[in-house]
Amino acid sequence: MKPSPYRWVVLSVFVLSTAINYLDRQTLATLAPLVRAEFHLSNTEYGLILAVFSIAYAACAPFAGMLIDGIGLNRAIGMAVGVWSCAGICTGFTHGLGGLLGCRGVLGMSEAAGIPGAGKAIYRYLLPAERALGNAWNQAGVSLGLILAPPVATWIAMRYGWRQAFVMTGTLGLVWIPLWYLTARAAEPRAALAGPHEVHTSGDVLRSPRLWRLLAANALNMSVYSLWTNWTTLYLVEKHRLALAEANWYAVVPPAIAALGGFGGGWLSLVWMRAGWPAVAARTRVCLVGALLALPTALIPLLPTAGWTAAGISLSMLAVSAVSVNVYTIPLDIFGGARAGFAVSMLVASYGAAQALISPAIGAVVDAHGYGPVCLVAAVLPLAAYAVLRRLS
């Protein structure tokens, strides 16, 4: 069966769910100064809130992947979006640290299905050489959510209070669900052809040493992504003494540049595959390019103005995104379509686990020593990820 001529349109509608996913989760990071002030939270306690989300995200991701593979993409993603939308809405009704922890935990559990669902959709609708570009398009959805969160959440918070920002952004997912069902019915997926490395059970995936190398590499690389998606606004407010609204205008720049990094990484792997490189080797080569671009992250604390800081963070996120779109595509190359949801969900779990471990640590280090040590470590993590990926081929 030929791929659907509407495959990119279908994928674009799915990518809207990714944008909503990240808009919902990023609303807290955007409004962190207001929430922290009302509930009298330290950086360490804020890191704990991030960790609870991440623990739930990591623990539930494999089960979300199995659910997607088991009951089908459409039903599973509809359930997940419905739950995470309600969790986002409920955040607006919390009255303390405990309520925030509970809502973020449920949000993490349900949002764990988002990226595995995207991986399944990319496999179903796109050709093999197009998959990294598909992940880049999904990365653009991530960036869109990150870009929209600062101006949208800040605008709502300034006019109606920070609680209404969670309620309004959470409602968007409930609108998306019927839109996806209508779109998915209009286009047939491509034929599910087994690749040379096709596996048939989740156990087969778990027993593969290549999977565990991917998990380690992803955790290392995405730790840098976690740093900037959760701490950029706070960094700008505390380091450069900006007001919340001003800091959040600067904060929209790095996600936009990150989307360019995703497309650049996807395009490079496409070019090298068409030149004859095997898929995994081409994608790993792109990861080296991204890792080298990430090295200037160490210099960010030395930058003198908020504008230069936003530029430095943008380069860091661009580099990490170029690596990420290829790392998230490699499981599709290795394990095929039958367990695409589960294979990608394990990467999601590794990201969540890494974020759960590093978020309280980042908060504690920042409270004690500032951002210098954090940025120094972040600069070399993508290069460490590439060193792990070299052993895949």
Side-chain angles (χ1 to χ4, degrees):
M1 180 188 294
K2 293 182 179 180
S4 168
Y6 305 107
R7 62 192 182 276
W8 288 101
V9 175
V10 177
L11 187 63
S12 296
V13 174
F14 192 94
V15 163
L16 285 177
S17 73
T18 302
I20 293 168
N21 182 314
Y22 275 78
L23 173 62
D24 287 349
R25 76 172 72 177
Q26 201 64 18
T27 298
L28 177 63
T30 298
L31 302 178
L34 298 179
V35 177
R36 282 183 53 202
E38 180 163 333
F39 295 144
H40 307 290
L41 304 175
S42 68
N43 280 318
T44 302
E45 288 172 320
Y46 176 65
L48 177 63
I49 294 170
L50 299 179
V52 167
F53 172 91
S54 303
I55 290 168
Y57 193 71
C60 293
F63 299 102
M66 287 189 284
L67 184 69
I68 291 166
D69 290 333
I71 70 173
L73 173 63
N74 294 346
R75 286 200 291 172
I77 199 63
M79 292 168 52
V81 174
V83 173
W84 88 50
S85 297
C86 292
I89 291 169
C90 288
T91 305
F93 297 93
T94 57
H95 293 284
L97 179 59
L100 283 173
L101 293 174
C103 288
R104 296 302 285 187
V106 174
L107 189 73
M109 290 170 58
S110 49
E111 288 198 339
I115 300 300
K120 191 79 168 182
I122 289 166
Y123 189 91
R124 290 181 69 189
Y125 291 102
L126 301 185
L127 298 172
E130 298 173 333
R131 289 175 188 159
L133 278 178
N135 265 317
W137 192 229
N138 193 59
Q139 174 64 46
V142 171
S143 295
L144 178 61
L146 297 176
I147 290 166
L148 289 177
V152 170
T154 302
W155 185 87
I156 297 171
M158 293 297 125
R159 283 157 181 79
Y160 306 106
W162 66 263
R163 296 178 183 278
Q164 286 302 313
F166 286 97
V167 174
M168 293 182 185
T169 56
T171 303
L172 294 175
L174 302 179
V175 177
W176 177 86
I177 295 171
L179 174 63
W180 170 250
Y181 285 156
L182 291 172
T183 304
R185 291 174 185 170
E188 292 293 327
R190 61 181 285 276
L193 300 176
H197 303 291
E198 183 78 47
V199 295
H200 300 288
T201 70
S202 299
D204 293 331
V205 177
L206 287 172
R207 285 188 290 270
S208 171
R210 301 175 89 185
L211 173 71
W212 295 98
R213 294 187 188 110
L214 279 169
L215 300 189
N218 189 58
L220 291 166
N221 183 65
M222 293 300 287
S223 291
V224 186
Y225 196 84
S226 175
L227 169 64
W228 298 127
T229 54
N230 290 301
W231 296 87
T232 294
T233 298
L234 282 173
Y235 180 83
L236 291 168
V237 168
E238 295 175 358
K239 174 75 173 180
H240 295 288
R241 307 300 179 190
L242 302 181
L244 175 64
E246 188 179 5
N248 279 326
W249 280 114
Y250 281 107
V252 303
V253 177
I257 302 302
L260 296 179
F263 281 114
W267 174 78
L268 273 179
S269 67
L270 176 65
V271 168
W272 283 331
M273 285 177 66
R274 287 179 173 173
W277 282 68
V280 174
R283 304 196 204 287
T284 303
R285 192 183 188 191
V286 177
C287 292
L288 174 59
V289 175
L292 295 176
L293 287 174
L295 291 175
T297 300
L299 303 178
I300 288 174
L302 304 179
L303 298 175
T305 67
W308 278 108
T309 298
I313 294 172
S314 296
L315 177 61
S316 184
M317 289 191 72
L318 178 147
V320 170
S321 296
V323 176
S324 176
V325 298
N326 285 280
V327 171
Y328 275 86
T329 306
I330 290 173
L332 307 182
D333 301 322
I334 295 175
F335 302 115
R339 298 296 166 187
F342 180 74
V344 174
S345 76
M346 291 299 295
L347 294 186
V348 172
S350 72
Y351 170 42
Q355 184 166 259
L357 289 172
I358 68 170
S359 293
I362 289 173
V365 171
V366 169
D367 281 339
H369 306 289
Y371 286 89
V374 173
C375 291
L376 183 62
V377 173
V380 298
L381 289 179
L383 197 59
Y386 167 73
V388 175
L389 289 172
R390 285 190 63 188
R391 300 185 62 191
L392 284 176
S393 300

